[in-house]
Amino acid sequence: MNNIKLSSISHTLITPLKQTNSVKDALNSMKENSISSVIIVDDADLPIGIFTERDAITIIANEQKNSLYLSDVMSKDVFYLKEDSYIHDAYTLMEQKGFRHIIVVDENNRYIGVVSEGDFLRHMGFEELPATKSIKDAMIDSILTINLNTSLTEVALRMSKKKCDYAIIVEHNQPIGVIGERDIAHCSIDGNLSLENAMSIMKHQTMCLVNIETSLQDVSQMMKEHGVHQLVVVNNTNALIGLITRHDILKTIHSSYFDYLLKTIESKSEKEQTLIKHKKELKKIANCDSLTNLPNRLFFKRELKKLVTQSIKNQQISAVLMLDLDRFKDINDSYGHSIGDEILSIISSRLVDIVKVDDLVARLGGDEFAIILEDVDSKDEIVKITNNILLAISKACKLSNGIDIHIASSIGIVLVPDDAKNVEEIFQYADSALYQAKSDGRGIYSFYTDEMTKKAMQKIAYESELRQAITNNELELYYQPQVYMKTGKIVSCEALLRWDNHKFGRVTPDIFIPIAEDTGLINSIGEWVINEACTQGKIWVDKGYHLTIAVNVSPNQVRYQNLPLVISEALKKSGYSASRLEVEITESSLMQREEEVVEMLHSLRAKGIRLAIDDFGTGYSSLSYLKRFPIDVLKIDKSFIDDIPYEKDDMAIVVAIIEMGKALGFEVLAEGTEHKEQLDFLEERGCNLYQGYIKSKPLPAKEFEKLLEEQNF
Ligand code: C2E
Ligand code: MG
Ligand code: MG
């Protein structure tokens, strides 16, 4: 049964109408063919509108004329599917979208026929259903009652206001008839809108009463026998309590339909192979969103359950991202559902492309998507992926009708198991994080916890301030002396960046340098640093202080900036000498794109520029690479100096670095020297230079100059 194609249940013999046909033409066609809608097509037979009994009721309620053109009153929001769609998929889609008719089209989207809700009812085979559901599960109790004095216009008005398909006519509190959209539509053809006329047309129809305790199975049987689409529901004393229609039955049954089919298939001892095939297909329908082919909410929930257990057991952190397209409803409203669907498909494939193969992307419904990032290393990784997602979504969607649409999204993030330890919590917290993101301006993400939200937001805030730092004159270089061990004299200094922001005050390099790195801002900032250091160096040379200035260069600059060019220009502009400039890079910079870095460093060396390896000992030091790079200074990382003279291992490492440096012909500098004991140890072991608070903290240029004056250069 689940293999039945849409084409086999559609009405194909009914001629569609054109925009220039009138409402009356539509009503006549509906009456002649006993159908509840007519389709309007263009000259190429492509469906462009639908006119239903419900639309007819609106026209009557508004007292509009039957001579109106269909183009003025039809609904342009048409829902069409290809003829080879399965009826179960088709029904599920129709129900999700709230339509009552499906236009069936061929592979070129040309009109073939139409399928209404009633057609599904006849073909979905629910007469086989167990008789467990009763009227109570399906019935509508908000019924519309009218009496014989009511005019049809009034009935139509009340029906369309209350969104009822039927009105029950009562006399002395007893139901005496049921009038439906179809009856009113038929009456309106010849313009006689009295209820009496309607009653006379309906004469042939019997009003059927049914007891509230009846099973749905019997209800559908009764409808079939009496040829009606609705039954009036009464209690044991025959008092009116409601109405049950085909639509209600269908809706109720459908939710249990997949369960039922699975059970039926299992119980039947059919051939093993077909059984498995059916099960798979059903499972797919039940777990898969038919528009995007992504897993649906049901499947996603099940995966979340597994995720929670697994994350707790393996002590790993995963992130659940809840994503919602901003103002998607507006797009749907202004461009129609088929454009909306096209956008959803584009977005879903972008999402799938961005995440890792093992990560799960699901469509929860409407414009809501969810993503599981399993076993993430850090918050930063999550932020990075999330930013990529926001960026990917914000790119223009090129639609088949030639329009470019821009859409943004908001994302709520929950960490499992840190924030949430069960499925309900995940949904709840992700929702509130999503809400936060939306209320913070849309197009952004928000972590669930306050603290995380704050930090992530702070990063964004820093970033936007950092973008202005140079133009706002907020950057300054401080200088920290580097002292030659043997003479105790300052021979060089390290330029260290300081940022005083008008909003945040002083922000330390540990915070803003990584942000500048992440965002690529480091390139312009780094260029500023090199220029500033050279300018200052020249000022000091002119005053007779011939010292070397070391500038820090970040991995990002090494990789993406033309450093030799930037430095040459800075030297040229300032008139500072290349041999007095030292570039500090970390081991990690050397490890990436090694060949290119070797070449670049040699070209710096060729200009006479010195090279220092910063934070030495914390990266992947290997003798072989030390030999390949034109290094002048090894700067032993502060962490090894800190515990001199107490930590034997650290002391052994320091000694080894000094020995190795000497053997390879490098100078060795000890970073972060604070105490006399450290200094004594370093001197004794033959370390050439030191830098640290024992001599001075980093100072603004003017104050640093005083140290130079005192030293009597
Ligand atoms: P770094 O290059 O290793 O710089 C040395 C850091 O150690 C500086 O921190 C300095 O103030 C600190 N320091 C020096 N002597 C002592 C001491 O005796 N005790 C203690 N406790 N600390 C000492 P700062 O200025 O906060 O800079 C931190 C890091 O930020 C630098 O580490 C460097 O990696 C980065 N940085 C600073 N300026 C720049 C820059 O212009 N460009 C780039 N790319 N990175 C920079
Ligand atoms: Mg440094
Ligand atoms: Mg360092």
Side-chain angles (χ1 to χ4, degrees), residues 507-613:
V507 187
T508 63
D510 297 332
I511 292 177
F512 75 82
I513 295 285
I515 298 176
E517 285 255 358
D518 273 1
T519 52
L521 284 171
I522 194 71
N523 291 341
S524 53
I525 292 178
E527 204 171 320
W528 181 89
V529 168
I530 292 167
N531 275 289
E532 181 68 18
C534 291
T535 310
Q536 184 59 57
K538 177 71 165 91
I539 294 173
W540 282 329
V541 169
D542 289 346
K543 290 188 177 176
Y545 307 128
H546 295 274
L547 77 163
T548 301
I549 299 182
V551 289
N552 291 282
V553 165
S554 84
N556 205 308
Q557 287 174 274
V558 173
R559 253 172 286 156
Y560 303 117
Q561 205 169 34
N562 186 346
L563 269 182
L565 184 73
V566 169
I567 292 176
S568 302
E569 284 182 352
L571 291 172
K572 206 159 101 194
K573 216 157 80 191
S574 61
Y576 190 54
S577 146
S579 60
R580 299 243 165 245
L581 185 68
E582 189 168 281
V583 167
E584 284 191 13
I585 62 177
T586 55
E587 288 165 279
S588 60
S589 295
L590 301 179
M591 302 309 290
Q592 287 151 346
R593 306 213 321 213
E594 209 177 305
E595 291 311 317
E596 288 162 57
V597 175
V598 171
E599 204 184 305
M600 192 269 288
L601 293 179
H602 278 285
S603 90
L604 288 182
R605 159 55 63 84
K607 294 181 202 299
I609 293 156
R610 289 163 57 86
L611 177 68
I613 305 297

Side-chain angles (χ1 to χ4, degrees), residues 78 107 144 160 193 276 396 430 455 467 492 522 551 588 660:
V78 288
E107 73 273 13
L144 177 64
S160 81
L193 287 174
I276 291 167
K455 267 200 169 165
R467 282 187 191 283
S492 48
I522 194 71
V551 289
S588 60
M660 184 185 68

Side-chain angles (χ1 to χ4, degrees), residues 494-496 551-552 584 614-615 635 671 691:
E494 179 176 4
L496 291 157
V551 289
N552 291 282
E584 284 191 13
D614 204 354
D615 304 340
K635 298 186 73 178
E671 285 190 296
Q691 175 183 345

Side-chain angles (χ1 to χ4, degrees), residues 593-643:
R593 306 213 321 213
E594 209 177 305
E595 291 311 317
E596 288 162 57
V597 175
V598 171
E599 204 184 305
M600 192 269 288
L601 293 179
H602 278 285
S603 90
L604 288 182
R605 159 55 63 84
K607 294 181 202 299
I609 293 156
R610 289 163 57 86
L611 177 68
I613 305 297
D614 204 354
D615 304 340
F616 188 76
T618 56
Y620 303 91
S621 324
S622 97
L623 273 178
S624 64
Y625 90 63
L626 286 181
K627 278 201 307 203
R628 300 185 57 212
F629 295 103
I631 299 166
D632 297 284
V633 186
L634 286 187
K635 298 186 73 178
I636 308 175
D637 190 68
K638 177 175 176 300
S639 59
F640 299 109
I641 310 297
D642 279 346
D643 290 328

